[in-house]
Amino acid sequence: MSANPKKTPLFDVHSGLGANLVDFAGYLMPLRYASETAEHAAVRTGAGLFDLSHMGEIFLSGPQAGAALDHALVGNLSPMAVGKARYTMICAPDGGVLDDLIVYRLADETWMVVANAANVAVVRDALVERAEGFEARVDDRSDAYALIALQGPKAQEILAGFTDAPLPELKYYAIFAAKVAGVDALLARTGYTGEDGFELFVDSGDAVALWRALAEVEGVVPCGLSSRDTLRLEAGMPLYGNELTAETSPYEAGLGRVVKLDKPGDFVGKAALAAQAQTPPGRTLVGLVARGRRAPRKGYQVVTSDGTPCGVVTSGAPSPTLGKPIAMAYVDSGVTETELAVDVRGRQEPVDVVTLPFYKRS
């Protein structure tokens, strides 16, 4: 545990709900409230409410903010229209992933970069350094913002009861300003669960009022980190520190599409990434479905039919939706077997190799 873990603006709400609180990325966060399986099911069938206030919000503004982002990140951000969002990455000069990000264009000269909680300082410092020489200001406003996510097939119907904003016009990976339950919010249609849903960026002082308004709706279930992890795992979405690390290439992770080598100008990591793009990766991220009931977990070894080590599990858990244990793993690219095994505490458990994601909403 961190020496002095921080609390989100919703800490007292979580405590009042009896949440199991844990130190996550330096914040005391709800792991679960009661049943993580019930929380997972609520998001797949109705709506779940998440506190994501530990995430970082870093703003870039100025006449060359877009150009600075193009130089700092692997994506081609400057042509984005106002109100749009894009998934991208910030890489080291050697091509390793420092963090995966969502970038929102809020105005002609204003952009918001949302970073993973554990990497906020790394991303902020890198952006400050890489923006030197550009007419752009970097402003870390993470402590000023709270972030609440409403995820699930009923999210739009529920949110419509709290705002006059034209929610059907808000497309996937887009954002606009709106009033929600009387609170000024930046309302985005993004998410990390594989379901439709919205993320609401609000002033930290407005978080409790907004959470309580949404939580009072029948069927809205508060959800913690455990269900968030199984939801994103079913959807095949990477987690920084598991599937993505500073030692991982976007190409190994199957995310080479976010690297825009053909965009104008140079960017940090371009030379290394261009070389990687021309060379087949030595390992590939795959999905595994266990035949038995024992779940593969992070760090477990993957082996071939003759017991030869060929990979490692990056994330694994029982899947509430599929009713089977699932995992993501990096496997040596030369392995062609569709049936492998995972060493689960000294016992080889058979698994089938499948194409990601495990779950895709209809």
Side-chain angles (χ1 to χ4, degrees):
M1 178 175 283
S2 306
N4 294 294
K6 299 171 72 174
K7 299 176 180 178
T8 77
L10 292 163
F11 174 81
D12 289 339
V13 173
H14 303 318
S15 297
L17 291 170
N20 178 8
L21 295 162
V22 297
D23 183 348
F24 180 78
Y27 284 81
L28 286 173
M29 298 292 293
L31 184 66
R32 67 180 67 83
Y33 295 86
S35 163
E36 59 203 55
T37 303
E39 293 170 21
H40 181 110
V43 176
R44 288 280 179 255
T45 61
L49 195 61
F50 297 85
D51 177 14
L52 308 180
S53 303
H54 59 311
M55 302 288 280
E57 292 85 18
I58 303 167
F59 285 69
L60 273 79
S61 58
Q64 293 185 310
L69 285 171
D70 286 344
H71 172 68
L73 311 180
V74 302
N76 191 17
L77 289 312
S78 57
M80 278 173 55
V82 172
K84 297 298 184 182
R86 187 162 295 168
Y87 176 78
T88 186
M89 296 178 183
I90 184 167
C91 285
D94 66 0
V97 180
L98 298 179
D99 201 13
D100 60 335
L101 313 162
I102 296 181
V103 177
Y104 300 88
R105 189 170 193 173
L106 303 181
D108 284 344
E109 296 186 0
T110 305
W111 311 70
M112 179 173 67
V113 177
V114 177
N116 286 297
N119 297 329
V120 174
V122 169
V123 174
R124 179 193 62 232
D125 293 348
L127 288 175
V128 168
E129 178 183 344
R130 296 177 188 189
E132 288 182 6
F134 292 89
E135 289 185 72
R137 296 179 303 280
V138 179
D139 183 14
D140 183 356
R141 304 182 195 171
S142 302
D143 290 340
Y145 276 89
L147 177 55
I148 295 172
L150 182 67
Q151 295 279 302
K154 295 184 180 178
Q156 179 174 301
E157 174 189 338
I158 291 165
L159 201 59
F162 293 94
T163 182
D164 294 330
L167 298 179
E169 296 178 13
L170 186 65
K171 303 304 181 184
Y172 190 50
Y173 266 68
I175 190 169
F176 57 41
K179 273 198 178 294
V180 182
V183 169
D184 290 324
L186 290 172
L187 181 57
R189 197 165 206 153
T190 47
Y192 193 54
T193 63
E195 297 297 339
D196 188 20
F198 301 87
E199 293 182 304
L200 298 99
F201 299 86
V202 299
D203 185 279
S204 58
D206 292 327
V208 172
L210 179 59
W211 175 282
R212 286 180 172 159
L214 295 171
E216 286 177 359
V217 177
E218 184 177 356
V220 173
V221 176
C223 298
L225 294 171
S226 285
S227 59
R228 183 169 165 82
D229 193 50
T230 52
L231 288 159
R232 70 92 193 168
L233 176 57
E234 288 183 349
M237 294 179 172
L239 175 66
Y240 195 87
N242 291 38
E243 288 71 43
L244 299 173
T245 69
E247 289 73 45
T248 305
S249 157
Y251 295 99
E252 292 176 317
L255 294 168
R257 65 184 182 277
V258 309
V259 181
K260 304 303 181 184
L261 295 171
D262 58 350
K263 66 179 176 178
D266 195 12
F267 64 91
V268 179
K270 181 176 182 178
L273 290 165
Q276 292 171 17
Q278 299 301 314
T279 307
R283 57 180 188 161
T284 305
L285 188 66
V286 301
L288 305 176
V289 177
R291 295 184 178 180
R293 304 185 64 151
R294 304 177 83 191
R297 299 289 184 180
K298 178 181 179 180
Y300 287 9
Q301 196 171 65
V302 182
V303 299
T304 60
S305 55
D306 64 1
T308 302
C310 67
V312 63
V313 173
T314 55
S315 297
S319 165
T321 304
L322 277 64
K324 301 175 181 179
I326 60 174
M328 288 194 282
Y330 278 111
V331 174
D332 295 342
S333 295
V335 175
T336 58
E337 294 184 36
T338 57
E339 302 171 12
L340 299 172
V342 174
D343 187 332
V344 180
R345 295 188 292 277
R347 179 172 163 181
Q348 293 189 8
E349 298 287 344
V351 293
D352 294 313
V353 180
V354 301
T355 302
L356 293 169
F358 303 98
Y359 166 86
K360 186 179 291 186
R361 74 176 187 267
S362 57

